[in-house]
């Protein structure tokens, strides 16, 4: 639950509710206990619907209470809201500290952007209350979502607050700038247009004098006049080669970006990158003070294999002048020493970043083994497709190496006793279920989700009370330890077998993005990231990492074994695609109808093939499935979990998949629906 506060509001809750819904387009009223809550504080007594509470212990989570003086007891009432689901393309992280005049001008710069499909996260390194008051005044006038992430002023801690801003981001692509840099109207859209996998974007700024910084007004920003060279020259800006940043277009812009002697480093005032890459190097090093802290972060990205791309003449921002009282010789020298070590030792991961412990050392080794396993799996797939000599002879050494790295990954997870806690605010829920024969190995699978490059906000395991009558007492100690990491175990009275993984999460979280996974696999670290990336390209579709293609014999479905499993293909969305649960499946909010939950039909026609039941409902509602992209390996199977595998029953000798799909087809005439819509 996120808690927001308002002090000294003397009016009815209805008026406050109406005001918020009218002025914040991203809010809707919601009485759910996990909703966003507005807590209204009243100094006056005898207001209907309020209670009294001592709020001394709440100082740490409320800036109003932090700055409050005198008696801390007051009345309060609660109004519940939740945020409407949006498909954000970018999170902009903006650092600031006690520069409210400059920050206000920058906010108008983002209001003037030619795209609004972004959220703005203000990473506030301890500003005084005046900054908060300004944001309360300005934010309702803006047409995009603003988050204010703040911590107490304890000196220069920009890297700390940037890491907190990263954790607050909901998009998979992040743009970083400063609260003294006014963006041109195409700033965000250009970063989005130029983003590339395996790269980060390196921009620059156009520095202004103090007089010109003060002269620029809100109207100058919204109209774009402040980016007009002639207007700037009229305000006293001297002639300079750097003025090309304001005027370069087309071939000239390309040439200046390509042949500039300036290195494509990470510049905190104008740089962007993928969230997965940022998390892979553990964010910013919190030992760093002023002077090169952004460059050190970029150097670790380079060591990780993510290289900078120069765009200093494509993305323009105006840097407003200010003093730098936090700059000291000691901090500069300290940062130089850290950067020297980063470059010399090829450091990728900082131990004092978002994760502040030694957990990552084990994870780096696991990921290295999994990467090698993936390469062998990809080679083996290629040999199988070629057939003949390749399939039977060349593949032997490949199979041996794959088995070796498979075992190393499993042993590494078995030896690793810890995992990071969930701390992301992506709004994504990973949902799964299991049963007693697999419960002893489940902690290994859950760790592979906790170690994702783009971790979810929630992980929920649905368990039947019929199979676990002792509830938490029936769980192994390893799972109880993981509860402290944020994993939820929810016990339900019914036993819908494998269908539990989607049934309850869709019911309880209809507005959320959901990813279902299987309980017997160790997943590659980029599983969630890949699914979210596909969903951003095709927002209203189901997305899968492992895809089969429906095969038809004339106007009838062929047997399931002929539905080809596709390992690599261009990203595409189609009714022909079938998402397979072993790779994880992403579901957008509200894609389903009420018939999805009809257990009477499920138990009669499709009790053990949840993937096929979901596919049948997708065909009925014309919901396409998206898949494709780079090679995705077969996830590593956990030992001693395949004796009770549904895959063997459904697609093995008993061939339950064909029987259940035939039954669904007879019930709903799926072949006719597919021939009309699918082909």
């Amino acid at each position: 639950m996120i808690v927001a506060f308002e002090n000294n509001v003397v009016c009815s809750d209805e008026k406050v509710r109406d005001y918020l819904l009218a002025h914040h387009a991203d809010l809707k009223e919601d009485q759910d206990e996990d909703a966003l809550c507005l807590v209204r504080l009243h100094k006056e007594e005898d207001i209907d619907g309020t209670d009294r509470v001592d709020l001394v212990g709440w100082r740490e989570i409320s800036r109003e209470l932090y700055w409050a003086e005198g008696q801390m007891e007051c009345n309060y009432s609660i109004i519940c809201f939740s945020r409407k689901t949006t498909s954000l393309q970018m999170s902009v992280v903006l650092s600031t500290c006690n520069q409210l005049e400059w920050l206000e001008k920058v906010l108008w710069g983002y209001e003037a952007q030619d795209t609004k499909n972004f959220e703005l996260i203000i990473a506030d390194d301890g500003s005084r209350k005046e900054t908060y008051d300004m944001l309360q005044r300005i934010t309702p006038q803006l047409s995009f979502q603003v988050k204010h992430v703040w911590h107490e002023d304890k000196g220069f801690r920009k890297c700390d607050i940037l890491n907190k801003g990263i954790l607050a981001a909901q998009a998979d692509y992040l743009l970083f700038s400063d609260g003294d840099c006014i963006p041109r109207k195409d700033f965000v859209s250009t970063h989005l247009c130029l983003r590339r996998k395996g790269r980060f974007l390196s921009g620059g700024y156009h520095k202004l004098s103090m007089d010109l910084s003060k002269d620029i007004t809100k109207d100058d920003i919204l109209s774009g006049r402040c980016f007009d060279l002639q207007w700037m020259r009229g305000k006293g800006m001297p002639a300079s080669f750097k003025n090309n940043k304001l005027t370069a277009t087309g071939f000239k812009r390309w040439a200046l970006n390509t042949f500039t002697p300036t290195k494509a480093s990470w510049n905190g005032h104008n740089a962007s990158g993928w969230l997965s890459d940022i998390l892979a190097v553990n964010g910013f090093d919190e030992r760093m003070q002023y002077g090169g802290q952004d460059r050190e972060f970029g150097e670790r990205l380079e060591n990780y294999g993510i290289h900078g791309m120069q765009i200093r003449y494509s993305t323009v921002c105006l840097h407003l002048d200010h003093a730098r009282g936090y700059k000291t010789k000691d901090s500069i020298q300290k940062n130089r020493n850290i950067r020297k070590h980063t470059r010399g030792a090829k450091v990728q991961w900082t131990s004092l970043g978002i994760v502040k412990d030694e957990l990552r050392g084990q994870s780096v080794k696991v990921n290295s083994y999994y990467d090698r396993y993936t390469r062998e799996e990809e080679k083996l797939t290629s040999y199988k497709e070629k057939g003949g000599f390749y399939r039977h002879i060349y593949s032997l050494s490949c199979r041996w190496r794959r088995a070796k790295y498979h075992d190393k990954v499993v042993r590494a997870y078995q030896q690793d006793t810890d995992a990071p806690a969930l701390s992301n605010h992506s709004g994504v829920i990973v949902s799964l279920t299991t049963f007693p024969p697999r419960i002893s190995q489940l902690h290994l699978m859950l760790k592979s989700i906790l170690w994702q490059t783009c971790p979810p906000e929630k992980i929920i395991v649905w368990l039947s009370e019929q199979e676990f009558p002792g509830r938490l007492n029936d769980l192994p100690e390893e799972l109880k330890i993981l509860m402290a990491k944020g994993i939820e175990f929810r016990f339900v009275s019914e036993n819908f077998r494998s269908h539990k993984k989607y049934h309850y999460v869709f019911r309880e979280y209809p507005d959320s993005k959901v990813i279902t996974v299987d309980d017997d696999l160790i997943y590659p670290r980029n599983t969630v990231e890949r699914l979210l990336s596909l969903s951003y390209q095709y927002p209203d579709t189901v997305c899968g990492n492992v895809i089969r293609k429906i095969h038809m014999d004339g106007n009838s479905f062929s047997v399931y074994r002929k539905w080809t499993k596709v390992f690599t293909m261009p990203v595409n969305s189609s009714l022909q695609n079938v998402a397979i649960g072993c790779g994880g499946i992403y579901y957008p909010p509200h894609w389903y109808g009420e018939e999805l939950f009809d257990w009477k039909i499920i138990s009669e026609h499709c009790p053990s093939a949840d993937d096929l039941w979901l596919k049948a409902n997708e065909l009925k509602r014309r919901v396409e499935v998206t898949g494709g992209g780079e090679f995705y390996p077969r996830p590593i199977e956990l030992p001693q979990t395949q004796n009770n595998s549904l895959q063997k029953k459904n697609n093995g000798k008993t061939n339950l998949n064909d029987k259940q799909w035939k039954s669904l087809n007879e019930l709903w005439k799926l072949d006719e629906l597919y021939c009309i819509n699918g082909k």
Side-chain angles (χ1 to χ4, degrees):
M1 181 177 68
I2 305 171
V3 184
F5 296 82
E6 284 195 4
N7 268 330
N8 304 324
V9 181
V10 186
C11 64
S12 66
D13 284 349
E14 287 73 19
K15 288 185 178 180
V16 176
R17 182 185 298 112
D18 293 344
Y19 174 83
L20 287 171
L21 292 175
H23 289 80
H24 294 272
D26 62 332
L27 291 182
K28 62 179 180 179
E29 191 171 355
D30 191 343
Q31 296 301 322
D32 184 73
E33 63 179 7
D34 292 325
L36 175 72
C37 289
L38 169 74
V39 180
R40 297 181 55 212
L41 307 181
H42 314 278
K43 287 186 178 178
E44 288 73 10
E45 298 184 9
D46 301 324
I47 297 179
D48 292 339
T50 67
D51 299 298
R52 294 185 66 80
V53 63
D54 184 2
L55 296 168
V56 172
W58 292 33
R59 281 181 180 269
E60 289 300 314
I61 58 172
S62 165
R63 282 180 289 281
E64 289 94 335
L65 295 180
Y66 180 84
W67 287 308
E69 297 178 357
Q71 188 176 4
M72 290 296 296
E73 190 174 278
C74 56
N75 295 321
Y76 77 100
S77 58
I78 297 176
I79 308 171
C80 296
F81 297 90
S82 65
R83 294 209 175 272
K84 294 178 181 176
T85 302
T86 58
S87 55
L88 295 171
Q89 288 188 294
M90 177 183 284
S91 295
V92 180
V93 182
L94 206 66
S95 64
T96 190
C97 183
N98 288 321
Q99 290 185 321
L100 70 161
E101 183 182 354
W102 282 183
L103 180 60
E104 181 173 346
K105 294 183 180 185
V106 171
L107 290 175
W108 294 125
Y110 284 96
E111 179 61 21
Q113 293 299 295
D114 55 15
T115 179
K116 296 296 172 58
N117 199 6
F118 65 91
E119 63 174 353
L120 186 69
I121 300 168
I122 298 175
D124 191 338
D125 191 14
S127 293
R128 293 181 291 272
K129 188 173 184 293
E130 290 80 4
T131 296
Y132 174 80
D133 292 339
M134 182 274 291
L135 290 174
Q136 291 293 92
R137 173 173 55 85
I138 295 295
T139 299
Q141 305 175 50
L142 303 176
S143 56
F144 51 87
Q145 182 180 340
V146 177
K147 297 178 182 176
H148 188 195
V149 180
W150 176 88
H151 62 197
E152 188 178 358
D153 184 5
K154 294 182 180 179
F156 185 89
R157 295 192 294 155
K158 179 181 178 181
C159 291
D160 302 49
I161 198 64
L162 286 177
N163 283 338
K164 292 174 183 175
I166 291 167
L167 292 177
Q170 292 190 40
D172 68 342
Y173 195 77
L174 273 60
L175 167 60
F176 290 79
S177 189
D178 290 332
D180 53 16
C181 292
I182 302 174
R184 194 169 65 184
K185 67 177 182 179
D186 61 346
F187 189 71
V188 170
S189 59
T190 303
H191 271 276
L192 283 171
C193 182
L194 296 177
R195 60 184 173 171
R196 301 286 187 274
K197 282 292 185 181
R199 307 298 292 269
F200 67 83
L201 301 182
S202 171
Y205 60 57
H206 196 67
K207 191 172 183 179
L208 306 183
S209 66
M210 180 61 75
D211 290 339
L212 188 50
S213 299
K214 291 180 178 179
D215 283 347
I216 292 178
T217 66
K218 171 185 173 181
D219 187 57
D220 296 331
I221 297 168
L222 293 177
S223 66
R225 279 194 301 271
C226 59
F227 293 94
D228 181 80
L229 180 58
Q230 297 305 316
W231 185 86
M232 298 284 269
R233 292 294 302 277
K235 289 286 185 177
M237 188 176 72
S240 169
F241 180 81
K242 294 181 179 179
N243 292 343
N244 281 301
K245 293 177 183 176
L246 299 175
T247 60
T249 58
F251 176 78
K252 182 179 181 181
R253 176 187 293 175
W254 172 84
L256 289 171
N257 282 329
T258 303
F259 299 109
T260 178
T262 305
K263 184 180 179 181
S265 57
W266 184 278
N267 302 318
H269 50 266
N270 186 351
S272 63
W274 296 95
L275 175 62
S276 57
D277 296 333
I278 294 167
L279 295 176
V281 299
N282 202 21
F284 292 85
D285 190 322
E286 296 181 7
R287 296 173 298 170
M288 302 286 285
Q289 295 175 304
Y290 178 80
Q293 71 279 1
D294 303 318
R295 301 289 179 87
E296 192 275 341
F297 170 68
E299 286 159 356
R300 280 187 285 112
L301 283 174
E302 293 275 357
N303 295 339
Y304 181 65
I306 308 300
H307 303 295
M309 177 177 164
Q310 186 62 264
I311 60 167
R312 63 191 291 106
Y313 290 92
S314 301
T315 53
V316 179
C317 62
L318 302 178
H319 185 273
L320 305 174
D321 196 19
H322 60 87
R324 292 175 173 82
Y326 40 76
K327 181 178 180 180
T328 67
K329 289 183 178 180
D330 290 342
S331 70
I332 297 295
Q333 187 57 49
K334 175 185 175 182
N335 288 2
R336 283 176 178 169
N337 293 337
I338 295 173
R339 289 184 63 192
K340 182 178 179 181
H341 174 69
T342 297
R343 293 191 297 267
K346 298 294 182 183
V347 175
Q348 299 177 12
W349 174 270
T350 173
S351 59
L352 287 167
I354 296 172
V355 178
K356 299 174 183 65
D357 50 37
E358 299 303 322
L359 290 175
R360 188 63 180 189
Q362 183 72 15
S363 178
V364 168
K365 184 166 64 174
V366 171
N367 290 336
S368 175
Y369 292 152
Y370 218 130
D371 288 344
R372 296 176 193 178
Y373 166 84
T374 299
R375 286 197 291 270
E376 299 304 327
E377 179 79 7
E378 187 171 10
K379 288 180 188 176
L380 190 58
T381 301
S382 174
Y383 290 155
K384 287 180 179 179
E385 291 175 349
K386 291 180 179 179
F389 197 73
Y390 286 93
R391 181 184 181 96
H392 299 290
I393 304 299
Y394 282 5
S395 66
L396 292 178
S397 61
C398 187
R399 291 175 188 273
W400 177 83
R401 289 191 299 270
R402 183 187 65 167
K404 179 180 72 170
Y405 292 123
H406 175 289
D407 293 343
K408 284 190 174 186
V409 170
V410 173
R411 282 198 300 270
Y413 269 102
Q414 289 171 336
Q415 295 167 6
D416 184 12
T417 58
D418 212 339
L422 292 174
S423 57
N424 196 0
H425 301 287
S426 62
V428 176
I429 299 174
V430 167
S431 179
L432 65 146
T433 187
T434 192
F435 63 117
R438 291 183 179 173
I439 196 71
S440 63
Q441 301 273 40
L442 184 64
H443 65 286
L444 302 178
M445 176 269 159
L446 291 172
K447 287 179 185 177
S448 74
I449 302 299
L450 289 171
W451 279 120
Q452 290 291 298
T453 55
C454 187
E457 183 169 338
K458 285 177 177 283
I459 301 175
I460 305 177
V461 184
W462 304 95
L463 303 174
S464 171
E465 291 178 339
Q466 298 175 25
E467 295 176 320
F468 299 92
R471 298 169 70 90
L472 292 178
N473 292 330
D474 289 343
L475 300 186
E477 196 62 33
E478 294 89 346
L479 292 181
K480 295 178 182 178
I481 292 173
L482 290 182
M483 291 175 64
K485 306 298 181 181
I487 294 177
E488 301 177 29
F489 293 91
R490 306 280 288 275
F491 294 90
V492 294
S493 57
E494 302 89 353
N495 186 8
F496 295 147
R497 303 171 68 177
S498 62
H499 296 267
K500 294 195 297 292
K501 72 171 72 168
Y502 68 83
H503 184 281
Y504 295 100
V505 72
F506 288 161
R507 283 292 201 196
E508 293 195 25
Y509 302 94
D511 296 326
S512 295
K513 296 174 283 188
V514 173
I515 293 175
T516 60
V517 292
D518 288 349
D519 60 341
D520 56 345
L521 304 167
I522 294 177
Y523 281 91
R525 57 182 174 170
N526 64 341
T527 297
V528 172
E529 177 198 349
R530 283 174 55 104
L531 291 171
L532 292 180
S533 178
L534 292 171
S535 75
Y536 287 124
Q537 297 177 64
Y538 295 90
D540 298 321
T541 66
V542 172
C543 302
N545 283 320
V546 178
I547 296 292
R548 284 185 181 269
K549 292 280 190 180
I550 290 177
H551 185 269
M552 302 290 287
D553 289 332
N555 291 326
S556 301
F557 293 112
S558 67
V559 295
Y560 184 79
R561 289 185 181 179
K562 289 187 178 180
W563 294 15
T564 309
K565 186 179 288 187
V566 182
F567 293 95
T568 56
M569 66 177 181
V571 174
N572 71 91
S573 180
S574 168
L575 287 178
Q576 186 185 13
N577 295 336
V578 182
I580 306 302
C582 65
I585 304 176
Y586 166 91
Y587 295 97
H590 304 291
W591 72 271
Y592 46 84
E594 191 62 29
E595 65 272 12
L596 180 72
F597 307 103
D598 193 328
W599 179 243
K600 183 178 179 181
I601 296 178
I602 296 172
S603 59
E604 182 179 348
H605 297 277
C606 197
S608 64
D610 52 285
D611 289 351
L612 293 182
W613 170 252
L614 289 159
K615 180 60 187 178
N617 279 269
E618 291 157 17
L619 285 177
K620 282 190 66 180
R621 300 183 67 83
R622 301 181 185 179
V623 176
E624 294 186 348
V625 173
T626 300
E630 297 178 357
F631 179 81
Y632 182 82
R634 180 175 61 179
I636 289 175
E637 296 175 350
L638 287 169
Q640 302 172 358
T641 60
Q642 301 308 302
N643 295 332
N644 299 285
S645 170
L646 279 179
Q647 194 272 340
K648 289 184 178 179
K649 295 178 182 178
N650 289 336
N651 201 25
K653 293 181 180 180
T654 53
N655 200 19
L656 292 179
N657 272 347
D658 283 331
K659 295 176 182 178
Q660 292 174 96
W661 187 252
K662 180 181 179 181
S663 181
L664 289 173
N665 186 37
E666 291 173 351
L667 175 68
W668 285 334
K669 307 297 182 186
L670 296 176
D671 49 2
E672 295 179 10
L673 288 174
Y674 180 73
C675 289
I676 294 171
N677 302 311
K679 289 186 177 180

